[in-house]
Amino acid sequence: MAALSVDPPDIENLLKLNPKPPNGIAKLVPTRHTKTEKKHWKRNIGCEGSSCLKNDFDDIKHTTLSERGALREAARCLKCADAPCQKSCPTQLDIKQFISMIATKNYYGAAKAIFSDNPLGLTCGMVCPTSDLCVGGCNLYGSEEGPINIGGLQQFATEIFKLMNIPQVVDPSVVVDPADPSYRSSVALIGCGPASITCATFLARLGYTDLTIFEKEDYIGGLSSSEIPQYRLPYDVVSFEVNLMKQLGVKVQLGKPLSAKNGMTISSLKKDGNVVVFLGLGMPQPKSIPIFKDLSSTNGFYTSKDFLPVVAKASKPGMCACGGGSLPQLHGNVVVLGAGDTAFDCATSALRCGARRVFVAFRKGFTNVRAVPEEMDLAKEEQCEFLPFHSPAKVNLVGNSIKGMEFYRTYQNDNDEWVEDSEQTVKIKCNFIISAFGSGLTDSDITDALAPMKLNAWGLPKVDPVTMVTDVEGVYCGGDLAGVANTTVESVNDGKQAAWHIHQYIQSLGGVQVNPTPQLPGFYTPVDEVDVSINVCGLKFENPFGLASATPTTSSAMIRRAFKVGWAFALTKTYSLDKDVITNVSPRIVRGTTSGHVFGPGQGAFLNIELISEKTAAYWCRSVTELKRDFPNKIVIASIMCGFNKEDWTELSKMSESAGADALELNLSCPHGMGEKGMGLACGQNPDLVRNICRWVREAVKIPFFAKLTPNVTEIVDIAAAAQEGGADGCTATNTVSGLMGLRTNGSAWPSVGDARRTTYGGVSGNAIRPIALRAVTSIARAVPGFPILATGGIDSAEAGLQYLNGGASLLQVCSAIHNQDYTVIHDYVTGLKALLYMEAMGLPNWDGQSPPTAAHQRGKPTPSGLPAVKGLPHFGDYLTQRRNLLAQHKGVTPVHQPPSPAQQPQTPAHQPPNRVPKISDTIGRALPMIGTYGDLSNKQQVVAVINDDMCINCGKCFMTCNDSGYQAISFDEDTHIPHVTDDCTGCTLCLSVCPIIDCITMVPRPTPYYPLRGVPLTTPNEGLPLACQ
């Protein structure tokens, strides 16, 4: 008979790769063997030339993030005070706020914060030179893990919003008098690029209704469309942002160039009734040098202005109604001249057009390269060669075709001037030359159309860098043409600046004085109109979020600040009669250990041994009166505590009611210190004491009151029922959980007080206690229906708050989340809750709150679908090379310009919710019917795990946990490291729980009946099971 405690042979074979303990013996492997072995597992394999890049315009940005990556990166952010990153952003994005919102899965709120300051927030998330801007100021540069990937987070949040497809509308608080003609003033904007789109968006948000953009091309977006490659900025992104602008009523006319010959000039636009003209047409002509005179693409010569638009039209789905045409057909060696971002875009595009090798030549050294490191690094990874200190001297032709180029070496003389050394020449064989020396305004047709505007020494309009006005009244300018902006985000800010000053100008024409402090309206959508107010016990709360009676309400001045930023209610710090006044010890509030070694914000728990308020009842009663006087629409709840004494409770509750408190909270639950005085926990653990205290207070006051319950009891429902029987209007569930956070290796505790270094059991708070508090809330809601519950315990996001509402709570108290951040988290919670309710009404398939369905991806980028040949190939070593070759073959025979995918389709019309948006009252307790006893659960409807090979990163975590904690139902291939779920899977879901990739493992209905493996057959036949399974 086989031993039961020994794994059978098939399981032993499956366990072959399971981790083994160290045996104390050093390993001996020849270096030659390791050099061969490491190639098999290598993931950071570079691309070799154009062989795997031809026709490949898929995303190559290092910054792109999946939801998992975004959540981890956002959690890493310190959310600094007076954040330097924000000061380095030309558009002054509230970077700290939007990253905080991503960390709580409030992607709508993050996008709202971004688009409020930057209408091209998605474009800039993709192409901003963040290393030179926001990231350059990140305080985490002072740590070894390095700065936050701000651009990737910005891209992630705005891409999620793009998938939501929610329209932009004018903020209803922007009230425009219909009789005021100034807001119907015609404004013409020239060029549909970043500056004009931004200027038009902000003017529309201000209430202007006659805004028209005139674009010379037959596509929108300006240089964002024509000169930034698809693999850095897809056309559907530009289209999405232009559609957001159009939703505000802005019109766009294509094929309308500024041209003296065609009759569209500044003067003609003004004569046609346009009160303002904004110039955002960029710098349309390329700079060149004499050696390229008479050369064209037929010879193999392109300027960046010739090359990139052709590449864009051929590779950007949806950009061109003509079908896009074909890519430039390059071969052999290509030389790109220049050291800016455009030059490197030309270089990497050339590889995708068939170039075998690409050389980037520039006059100065690496320390003088104008391109941002991100661009240069991409070119380096794709094996472009760099030629510094090279100045073009001559083009060599054979017949009419370019065959080479000669350069002079350059150097910097003692006066720091760059000079050419004609005695040092370098010859490069090449087949094509792409000049990317920059651009200017040299077309006389356009300069004539600018008359009577004066141009400066560089041939550009004279522009005030603050107001963006030119020397012609009513004519403004932004972007490249204004001479300051060098990047997309700087062009955006030019448009933003111009919008405000255009508003001031137009209003001044009617004699209206505009507030000198800029007040540009932010991004607004129907989500912001969702009503999250709720009535509880006859009190109206503007939203369900309030401050718990804890350190965030240490003083009434702090409550005042909290009300100003949007909190709907606050509980005072618990106070007592003077005879029970306390003095705290220190240290007394420490970070938790429940989430491992986490330092900084994002603590999963705190422990405190702080007692109630050190301030007097008189202080708090006067404070309540002041707060209610100044904030009549906010709810102030006085938190009070006494011993088991009727006179004390009567006196304190009447004092608080007389002061003007809207309600009372009876603190019957403080888990440390106060219980030793016969207060707090000492009263709250006994139903009879709770019942009597509530009766005393009910007799004393007419205002509502809530009993604050302790989780440190056998059954909290009994305490809640006693509070209701005593006349309480509701309860708070729960106070902190009594605990000891940890002991140091030398046996001392933290916090330790005084020379004796003593400690005591304190109150654990934060999301570590959320499961306990959720159980308390749902248990009370099921047992005492209709009894309002103020939930508290780990409410650190709108999503967490909605869990409590679904579980039966009516209001939500917050404390630990403010420890981790500050009062401004209320904006996150309110916008997040509105978005969750709105998304529910939208009913988008397979969305989970604000999280869309997870597409198969690696490193945040989608993995190809519809190509069976790559199915099951891992993303490392020779398998990765094989994948790339197969994909390159596929792209080589597939037209580059394909119809837009569903995700790239035009985003109009925007989604309209097919269902009514739920109110807060609709959500309260709706999860309760699904919560019951174990006996209510079905053991007939089973699930099994399914692993998505395309998303698997081959870590084997599922394999290990199944082996040592589960059912040995996952095999692990020793060559491919691809796990496979066997028929032994029991659906326990451990593998999904430890998998590091969201939705890589899913649980699906079991296709066959589940028969447990009993080990030894049952002695009593089990009806319904085959004998073999008993």
Side-chain angles (χ1 to χ4, degrees), residues 209-432:
T209 57
D210 190 2
L211 307 169
T212 306
I213 294 179
F214 298 96
E215 168 56 51
K216 73 171 182 177
E217 303 291 352
D218 57 357
Y219 53 82
I220 54 175
L223 301 189
S224 296
S225 296
S226 63
E227 296 194 18
I228 302 180
Q230 171 78 2
Y231 47 85
R232 289 186 58 222
L233 181 61
Y235 182 72
D236 70 289
V237 168
V238 177
S239 178
F240 160 71
E241 290 170 333
V242 170
N243 283 333
L244 284 178
M245 175 193 72
K246 288 181 176 179
Q247 288 160 2
L248 299 177
V250 179
K251 300 176 285 292
V252 178
Q253 293 188 24
L254 302 178
K256 296 284 186 178
L258 186 71
S259 164
K261 294 176 182 177
N262 292 339
M264 182 185 284
T265 66
I266 287 178
S267 299
S268 69
L269 288 167
K270 298 279 276 184
K271 287 179 182 178
D272 289 343
N274 290 287
V275 176
V276 168
V277 175
F278 177 79
L279 302 172
L281 62 157
M283 304 242 266
Q285 284 78 48
K287 292 180 180 177
S288 190
I289 55 178
I291 64 171
F292 300 132
K293 185 180 180 182
D294 299 327
L295 292 179
S296 68
S297 59
T298 57
N299 308 108
F301 173 76
Y302 294 87
T303 67
S304 61
K305 296 283 186 184
D306 303 324
F307 179 68
L308 290 175
V310 176
V311 175
K313 288 181 180 180
S315 61
K316 294 192 172 187
M319 175 175 167
C320 199
C322 63
S326 58
L327 293 170
Q329 298 303 302
L330 306 185
H331 61 270
N333 294 347
V334 175
V335 171
V336 177
L337 304 173
D341 295 335
T342 301
F344 289 101
D345 281 339
C346 289
T348 51
S349 293
L351 290 169
R352 287 157 176 79
C353 294
R356 185 174 62 85
R357 295 183 70 190
V358 174
F359 299 90
V360 183
F362 40 95
R363 292 181 63 249
K364 300 179 182 179
F366 284 105
T367 56
N368 304 102
V369 168
R370 290 183 293 109
V372 295
E374 295 93 328
E375 286 266 25
M376 198 167 180
D377 289 345
L378 287 172
K380 180 181 176 182
E381 281 186 19
E382 295 186 351
Q383 300 193 0
C384 295
E385 304 287 349
F386 301 151
L387 301 175
F389 308 110
H390 280 58
S391 181
K394 180 182 177 184
V395 177
N396 295 326
L397 299 172
V398 174
N400 287 325
S401 299
I402 291 173
K403 293 299 178 183
M405 191 167 185
E406 296 182 19
F407 296 88
Y408 294 133
R409 291 283 291 177
T410 62
Y411 65 94
Q412 205 166 5
N413 64 21
D414 294 339
N415 297 320
D416 290 336
E417 299 169 331
W418 287 93
V419 295
E420 297 175 350
D421 183 353
S422 58
E423 294 182 0
Q424 293 190 72
T425 61
V426 177
K427 294 182 179 180
I428 301 290
K429 290 183 178 179
C430 62
N431 306 93
F432 297 90

Side-chain angles (χ1 to χ4, degrees), residues 156-180:
F156 171 79
T158 47
E159 279 194 312
I160 297 294
F161 177 78
K162 175 173 174 281
L163 295 175
M164 292 177 178
N165 198 10
I166 297 170
Q168 179 176 200
V169 298
V170 176
D171 187 336
S173 68
V174 177
V175 179
V176 175
D177 184 354
D180 185 351

Side-chain angles (χ1 to χ4, degrees), residues 720-740:
Q724 185 190 45
E725 292 164 8
D729 296 275
C731 66
T732 297
T734 66
N735 209 322
T736 55
V737 176
S738 181
L740 184 65

